[in-house]
Amino acid sequence: MRSGERGERPVSAASVTFLGMPATRPFPRNAARAVRDSQLRFNLRKATRTIRARRASVVAEVPDWAALRDAGRAIKEHTLRNLDRYLLQLEEAVTAAGGHVHWAADAAEANEIVAGLVKATGETEVVKVKSMATQEIGLNEALLEYGITAYETDLAELIVQLGDDRPSHIVVPAIHRNRAEIREIFAGRMAGWGRPAPEDLTDDPAALAEAARLHLRERFLKTKVAISGANFAVAETGTLVVLESEGNGRMCLTLPTTLISVVGIEKVLPSWRDLEVFLQLLPRSSTGERMNPYTSMWTGATEGQEFHLVLLDNGRTRVLADEVGRQALRCIRCSACLNVCPVYERTGGHAYGSVYPGPIGAILTPQLRGMSSELDRSLPYASSLCGACYDVCPVAIDIPSVLVDLRARSPHPWPERAGMAAAGWVLRRSGRLARMQRIGGRLRNLAPRRLPGPLAAWTDTRDLPEIPPESFRDWWDRTDGGRR
Amino acid sequence: MRVALFVTCVNDTLFPGTGRAVVTLLRRLGVDVEFPRGQTCCGQMHANTGYRDEAVRLARRSVAVLRGYDAVVVPSGSCAAMIREQYPKLAGPSGPFADAVDRVVAVTYELTEFLVDVLGVTDVGASFPHRVTYHPTCHSLRGIHLGDRPLTLLRQVKGLDLVPLPGAEECCGFGGTFALKNADVSAAMCADKVRAVLDTGAEVLCAADNSCLMHIGGMLARQNSGVRVMHLAEILGAAEPAGAAGRPVSAR
Amino acid sequence: MSRSRDLILARVRAALAGVPDVEIPRAYRGPSETPPETPSATPSETQGEIRLFEERLRDYRAVVHVVAEAAVPERVARSLAERGARRVAVPGGFPAAWPAAARAELVADEPPLTAADLDALDGVLTTCAVAVADTGTIVLDAGPGQGRRALSLVPDYHLCVVRAGQIVAGVPDAVARLDPVRPLTWISGPSATSDIELNRVEGVHGPRTLEVLIVT
């Protein structure tokens, strides 16, 4: 339980933003453990390679992908530039359509609002559609303190919830689990949460999906309150949009009598027409499908339902204030950057210590949460700056540039500062560099095979190159550029 | 045409053979390349590790040294990307430094760009009768979009047996100080790259960046794999059958 | 509550002071000028879209039949029989002739069926508002013959009848035709999940079988 994150707290810009997980050890230490977990490595390698290939093939068949991407980028940029206006327009449209709009400055306030709304219905159980916003604010744990049990209904979220685990991916939170592990979790844990798994459950994905269907069926039919997020909220019409695959989203959005949607303020889109762009960009980037099986769109109170929209800040306005970093708010949570990232592929999501892992997490988490913890300071360095994330991003977030910008603003350890200062001093004058090169050349035979201190990180796995007896510049001088 | 060689600090200090090969190659193609003596480092290590002030100092120095040339040739995709992509950001939108950056950026070419786009050459008259595979480094591929230029040049080299590298577009895990700060992940990425290289059966791995090659080559050497690494320039510069060219397989 | 509203809006405005706006380039393919059911659309264009729609639906492992209007009752009857569906929901406004030949009991949603009632049904018949060829998508807007959202969700079998004229080329065409005030459900194949090893597996909570009749 994260009780310390809630309670009587003044709302202020200085409050620590909660992101669904405690910030603990720095990324390199988490990663060192992860890369040695052969099961994790196998699962991630298989899954990310599958999805990469699928994304590449469905993106390649769209001739105007670059134009869609450019439009997606610009629509989001324009929205963020006029966010106050569009939020007010959204509020007005949702209210006019019979919905209720609430504003939450941080996680604690959002949780209080949702708990209050659930309690007002007299219910103690809610069903949930997979949502990053509610993950981010730790809603399930918060509701439990109010005596309300939240049931995750997305298959992967169910795997995580039953396994008492943490999500490791934005779209597929149980990507770190393979079918055999999922079978174990279902067989062992389903009974504690409701209908047990079938006795003869196998690890065939179809059988696992069937087990989830049976386990949740009755719960869908009887639960009166549902909680969701939203992929998009259209200011012009007040329409909310949820993309999903399994039908658990439709169940939650349709059957209960009360629906509460917790939505980050950056999810707003100006106009209905803008969906023509994002309904093409998101499914292809995310699950590598031409279209996801189900997309629900509703405007205000629909088919007799009571509808509440909770607009969430939780650090987003702080990100908005940053000239370079604000582009992270364009993110539509497709996960393409995770799937293509060579670092994520080898560490998985848990190493990032946030519900937002991978490249987008490495720029979003330190901005939302600040860089006061060692973990958060280490996240901007959790990248080789290979640029694959930027290439696949459907809204063209220049993740490498934001990483570099965050690195420039994070405090550095002193040995590194000393080393960088020394290197800078040498490189500021070509004469100094030449002298250092000559010293190196003279001592070349004394260079150790294994380096001491932090530099051992290189020689633990790699040989050093031989130091040449003569630098290029000395060769140039001696031979007049090879003419002598 | 006044052409400057920006050899890069890594090549200058650790891989002078690459610089010499560029000079040989360009002379063969009739370009009398100059080496501006004041050059040191483009500042990429400082910029990408979060030391912006030092990076700006080094960028100012490099721009001052390189301005006035008709072309600047850089035998490194990564350093060329630093100048072209990051210098304008470091310089800001306007001012004398920004103007000077603009002029240098406009004439800065990675070696293969200079050969193919400026000189219009794809057959550089090289001979290298060996089995070679090519790794497109991240900054060559996604930073400055070298595209097929290196492969086009390699295909024209006499005797060269070019074999494709599976998963070529994937990062080798070098990433500058990433290789030290996240050494475990870096090594895991390198291990996969090394496996892909070995799977090709090539005897030489080449690339447009010696820094990435130092990383991959360091692991190939540690494993006594028998595969050597060479900068692309050294292959393109090789006029005679050069069996002994390239760096030794083992460092010691 | 309104305190946070004011606070968030103030933070947003402070963050944006002096930030320039951007133009939105829309160089992508927008909605077609001529909707396919207008006389100006050539038959070959329509044929091409029907074929593409059919192909894309099959990619999702939906069952597809292309039938002439007159053959719909027989096809509906056969599909229900093959499925073994004995009791199926039929929303108000569904053309009465289409299920006329079926042996199954046709259940109306009046008064509204309870969730348990819906769960006990063998399937549902609906029309749609629009269909997208490029993505193999049908969109329901709770209009005539489509019913409320739960109707096409809870039963395990969904038979949807699409008129050829309702098929549009791409997503922008569909967005342009739909009314956002109505509750909309975009359906692309049967219920599926990619949550296990990122492989798409058909069949979780929504209808596990989607059958589409394209009426030419």
Side-chain angles (χ1 to χ4, degrees), chain A residues 49 230 446 448:
Chain A
R49 274 156 204 269
L446 303 177

Side-chain angles (χ1 to χ4, degrees), chain B residues 127-178:
Chain B
S127 168
F128 191 75
H130 300 278
R131 188 169 211 199
V132 175
T133 192
Y134 169 73
H135 169 56
T137 62
C138 299
H139 292 163
S140 304
L141 185 69
R142 287 176 285 266
I144 54 172
H145 304 283
L146 284 190
D148 282 339
R149 291 181 189 88
L151 292 174
T152 305
L153 290 160
L154 285 169
R155 283 194 195 103
Q156 303 287 333
V157 174
K158 217 165 80 186
L160 189 143
D161 175 16
L162 185 65
V163 287
L165 179 65
E169 74 291 346
E170 285 172 39
C171 178
C172 70
F174 172 63
T177 47
F178 174 79

Side-chain angles (χ1 to χ4, degrees), chain A residues 14 150 173 204-205 250 267 389 414 478 483:
Chain A
D204 174 23
R250 292 178 67 193
K267 292 282 165 245
C389 49
W414 75 262
R478 181 172 58 77
R483 291 182 193 89

Side-chain angles (χ1 to χ4, degrees), chain A residues 250-270:
Chain A
R250 292 178 67 193
M251 289 280 181
C252 293
L253 299 172
T254 309
L255 295 180
T257 49
T258 300
L259 172 63
I260 304 164
S261 299
V262 182
V263 180
I265 52 173
E266 83 284 18
K267 292 282 165 245
V268 65
L269 291 179

Side-chain angles (χ1 to χ4, degrees), chain C residues 72-114:
Chain C
V72 173
E74 192 203 327
R75 184 62 249 180
V76 169
R78 255 182 75 189
S79 290
L80 292 179
E82 281 164 13
R83 172 78 190 171
R86 287 191 299 261
R87 296 179 68 244
V88 294
V90 180
F94 191 83
W98 287 350
R103 291 244 196 107
E105 181 192 341
L106 307 178
V107 183
D109 190 30
E110 288 164 7
L113 299 162
T114 65

Side-chain angles (χ1 to χ4, degrees), chain A residues 81 210 217 246 276 289, chain C residues 4 19 28 154 191 200 208:
Chain A
R81 174 58 195 87
E210 166 78 9
R217 194 74 182 177
E246 297 161 16
E276 72 188 16
E289 294 167 299
Chain C
S4 289
V19 178
Y28 57 87
V154 181
S191 162
R200 182 163 164 147
R208 287 180 290 185

